[in-house]
Coordinates of all heavy atoms in Angstrom, one line a residue:
A211 N 44.1 45.1 -70.3 CA 43.1 46.1 -70.1 C 43.3 46.7 -68.7 O 42.9 47.8 -68.4 CB 41.8 45.6 -70.2
L212 N 43.9 45.9 -67.7 CA 43.9 46.3 -66.3 C 44.9 47.4 -66.1 O 46.0 47.4 -66.5 CB 44.2 45.1 -65.4 CG 43.3 43.9 -65.5 CD1 43.7 42.8 -64.5 CD2 41.9 44.3 -65.3
W213 N 44.4 48.5 -65.5 CA 45.2 49.7 -65.2 C 44.6 50.3 -63.9 O 43.5 50.6 -63.8 CB 45.0 50.7 -66.3 CG 46.1 51.8 -66.2 CD1 46.1 52.8 -65.4 CD2 47.2 51.9 -67.1 NE1 47.1 53.6 -65.6 CE2 47.9 53.1 -66.6 CE3 47.8 51.1 -68.1 CZ2 49.1 53.5 -67.2 CZ3 49.0 51.6 -68.7 CH2 49.6 52.7 -68.3
P214 N 45.5 50.5 -62.9 CA 46.9 50.2 -62.8 C 47.1 48.7 -62.7 O 46.2 48.0 -62.2 CB 47.4 50.9 -61.6 CG 46.2 51.1 -60.8 CD 45.1 51.3 -61.7
L215 N 48.3 48.2 -63.2 CA 48.5 46.8 -63.1 C 48.6 46.3 -61.7 O 49.3 46.9 -60.9 CB 49.8 46.5 -63.8 CG 50.2 45.0 -64.2 CD1 49.1 44.6 -65.2 CD2 51.5 44.9 -64.7
P216 N 47.9 45.2 -61.4 CA 47.9 44.7 -60.0 C 49.3 44.2 -59.6 O 50.1 43.8 -60.5 CB 46.9 43.5 -60.1 CG 45.9 43.9 -61.2 CD 46.8 44.5 -62.2
Q217 N 49.5 44.1 -58.3 CA 50.8 43.6 -57.8 C 51.1 42.2 -58.2 O 52.2 41.9 -58.7 CB 50.9 43.8 -56.3 CG 50.8 45.3 -55.8 CD 51.9 46.1 -56.3 OE1 53.0 45.6 -56.6 NE2 51.7 47.4 -56.3
T218 N 50.1 41.4 -58.1 CA 50.2 40.0 -58.6 C 48.9 39.6 -59.3 O 47.8 40.0 -58.9 CB 50.5 38.9 -57.5 OG1 49.4 38.9 -56.6 CG2 51.8 39.3 -56.8
L219 N 49.0 39.0 -60.4 CA 47.9 38.6 -61.3 C 48.2 37.3 -62.0 O 49.2 37.2 -62.7 CB 47.7 39.8 -62.3 CG 46.8 39.5 -63.5 CD1 45.4 39.1 -63.2 CD2 46.9 40.7 -64.5
S220 N 47.3 36.4 -61.9 CA 47.3 35.2 -62.8 C 46.0 35.1 -63.6 O 44.9 35.4 -63.0 CB 47.6 34.0 -62.0 OG 46.5 33.7 -61.1
S221 N 46.1 34.7 -64.8 CA 44.9 34.5 -65.6 C 45.1 33.3 -66.5 O 46.2 32.8 -66.6 CB 44.7 35.8 -66.5 OG 45.7 35.9 -67.4
G222 N 43.9 32.9 -67.0 CA 44.0 31.7 -67.9 C 43.6 32.0 -69.3 O 43.8 33.1 -69.7
S223 N 42.9 31.0 -69.9 CA 42.6 31.2 -71.3 C 41.2 30.6 -71.6 O 40.9 30.3 -72.7 CB 43.6 30.5 -72.2 OG 43.7 29.1 -71.9
S224 N 40.3 30.6 -70.6 CA 39.0 30.0 -70.7 C 38.0 31.2 -70.9 O 38.0 32.2 -70.3 CB 38.6 29.3 -69.5 OG 39.5 28.2 -69.3
P225 N 37.0 30.9 -71.8 CA 35.9 31.9 -72.0 C 35.0 31.9 -70.8 O 34.7 30.9 -70.2 CB 35.2 31.5 -73.3 CG 35.5 30.0 -73.3 CD 36.8 29.8 -72.7
L226 N 34.4 33.1 -70.4 CA 33.5 33.2 -69.4 C 32.6 34.4 -69.7 O 33.1 35.5 -70.1 CB 34.2 33.5 -68.0 CG 33.3 33.6 -66.8 CD1 32.6 32.3 -66.4 CD2 34.1 34.1 -65.6
T227 N 31.3 34.3 -69.6 CA 30.4 35.4 -69.9 C 29.8 35.9 -68.5 O 29.9 35.2 -67.5 CB 29.3 35.0 -70.8 OG1 28.5 33.9 -70.2 CG2 29.8 34.5 -72.1
L228 N 29.2 37.1 -68.6 CA 28.5 37.6 -67.5 C 27.0 37.3 -67.7 O 26.4 37.7 -68.7 CB 28.8 39.1 -67.4 CG 28.7 39.8 -66.1 CD1 29.8 39.3 -65.1 CD2 28.9 41.3 -66.2
S229 N 26.4 36.6 -66.7 CA 25.0 36.2 -66.8 C 24.2 37.5 -66.9 O 24.5 38.5 -66.3 CB 24.6 35.4 -65.6 OG 23.3 35.2 -65.5
S230 N 23.1 37.4 -67.6 CA 22.1 38.5 -67.7 C 21.5 38.8 -66.3 O 20.9 39.8 -66.1 CB 21.0 38.1 -68.6 OG 20.3 36.9 -68.3
S231 N 21.6 37.8 -65.4 CA 21.1 38.0 -64.0 C 22.2 38.2 -63.0 O 22.0 38.1 -61.8 CB 20.3 36.8 -63.6 OG 21.0 35.6 -63.6
F232 N 23.4 38.6 -63.5 CA 24.5 38.8 -62.7 C 24.2 39.8 -61.6 O 23.6 40.8 -61.8 CB 25.7 39.3 -63.5 CG 26.9 39.7 -62.7 CD1 27.8 38.8 -62.1 CD2 27.1 41.1 -62.4 CE1 28.9 39.1 -61.4 CE2 28.2 41.4 -61.6 CZ 29.1 40.5 -61.1
D233 N 24.8 39.5 -60.4 CA 24.6 40.4 -59.3 C 25.8 40.5 -58.4 O 26.6 39.6 -58.4 CB 23.3 40.0 -58.4 CG 22.8 41.2 -57.6 OD1 23.2 42.3 -57.8 OD2 21.9 40.9 -56.8
I234 N 25.9 41.6 -57.7 CA 27.0 41.8 -56.7 C 26.4 41.8 -55.3 O 25.5 42.6 -55.1 CB 27.8 43.1 -57.0 CG1 28.4 43.1 -58.4 CG2 28.9 43.2 -55.9 CD1 29.1 44.4 -58.7
T235 N 26.8 40.9 -54.5 CA 26.2 40.7 -53.2 C 27.2 40.9 -52.1 O 28.4 40.8 -52.3 CB 25.6 39.3 -53.1 OG1 26.5 38.3 -53.2 CG2 24.5 39.1 -54.2
L236 N 26.7 41.1 -50.9 CA 27.6 41.3 -49.7 C 27.5 40.0 -48.8 O 26.4 39.5 -48.6 CB 27.2 42.5 -49.0 CG 27.3 43.8 -49.7 CD1 26.6 45.0 -48.9 CD2 28.7 44.2 -50.1
D237 N 28.6 39.6 -48.3 CA 28.6 38.5 -47.4 C 29.1 39.0 -46.0 O 30.3 39.4 -45.8 CB 29.6 37.4 -47.9 CG 29.7 36.2 -47.0 OD1 28.7 36.0 -46.2 OD2 30.7 35.5 -47.0
G238 N 28.2 38.9 -45.0 CA 28.6 39.3 -43.7 C 28.7 40.8 -43.4 O 29.3 41.2 -42.4
I239 N 28.2 41.6 -44.3 CA 28.2 43.0 -44.1 C 26.8 43.5 -43.9 O 26.0 43.6 -44.8 CB 28.8 43.7 -45.3 CG1 30.2 43.2 -45.6 CG2 28.9 45.2 -45.1 CD1 30.9 43.8 -46.9
D240 N 26.5 43.6 -42.6 CA 25.1 44.1 -42.3 C 25.1 45.7 -42.3 O 26.1 46.3 -41.9 CB 24.7 43.6 -40.9 CG 24.6 42.1 -40.9 OD1 24.2 41.5 -41.9 OD2 25.0 41.5 -39.8
N241 N 24.0 46.2 -42.7 CA 23.9 47.7 -42.7 C 25.0 48.3 -43.5 O 25.7 49.2 -43.0 CB 23.8 48.2 -41.3 CG 22.6 47.7 -40.5 OD1 21.5 47.6 -41.0 ND2 22.8 47.2 -39.3
A242 N 25.2 47.9 -44.7 CA 26.3 48.4 -45.5 C 26.2 49.9 -45.6 O 25.2 50.4 -45.8 CB 26.3 47.7 -46.8
P243 N 27.4 50.6 -45.6 CA 27.4 52.0 -45.8 C 26.8 52.3 -47.2 O 27.0 51.6 -48.1 CB 28.9 52.3 -45.8 CG 29.5 51.2 -45.0 CD 28.7 50.0 -45.3
Q244 N 26.1 53.5 -47.3 CA 25.5 53.9 -48.5 C 26.5 54.0 -49.6 O 26.1 53.6 -50.8 CB 24.7 55.2 -48.3 CG 23.9 55.6 -49.5 CD 22.8 54.6 -49.9 OE1 22.1 54.2 -49.0 NE2 22.7 54.3 -51.1
D245 N 27.7 54.5 -49.3 CA 28.6 54.7 -50.4 C 29.2 53.4 -51.0 O 29.6 53.3 -52.1 CB 29.8 55.7 -50.1 CG 30.5 55.3 -48.8 OD1 30.4 54.2 -48.3 OD2 31.2 56.2 -48.3
L246 N 29.1 52.3 -50.2 CA 29.5 51.0 -50.7 C 28.4 50.5 -51.6 O 28.7 50.0 -52.7 CB 29.7 50.0 -49.5 CG 30.0 48.6 -50.0 CD1 31.2 48.5 -50.9 CD2 30.2 47.7 -48.7
T247 N 27.1 50.6 -51.2 CA 26.1 50.1 -52.1 C 26.0 51.0 -53.3 O 25.7 50.4 -54.4 CB 24.7 50.2 -51.3 OG1 24.4 51.5 -50.9 CG2 24.8 49.2 -50.1
D248 N 26.3 52.2 -53.2 CA 26.4 53.1 -54.4 C 27.5 52.6 -55.4 O 27.3 52.6 -56.6 CB 26.5 54.5 -54.0 CG 25.3 55.1 -53.4 OD1 24.2 54.6 -53.5 OD2 25.4 56.2 -52.8

Side-chain angles (χ1 to χ4, degrees):
L212 301 185
W213 193 286
L215 195 66
Q217 297 296 338
T218 62
L219 160 65
S220 66
S221 67
S223 56
S224 298
L226 181 69
T227 62
L228 207 62
S229 170
S230 59
S231 59
F232 172 81
D233 200 6
I234 301 175
T235 63
L236 300 173
D237 179 23
I239 304 176
D240 298 323
N241 301 314
Q244 184 62 49
D245 53 15
L246 176 58
T247 59
D248 289 344

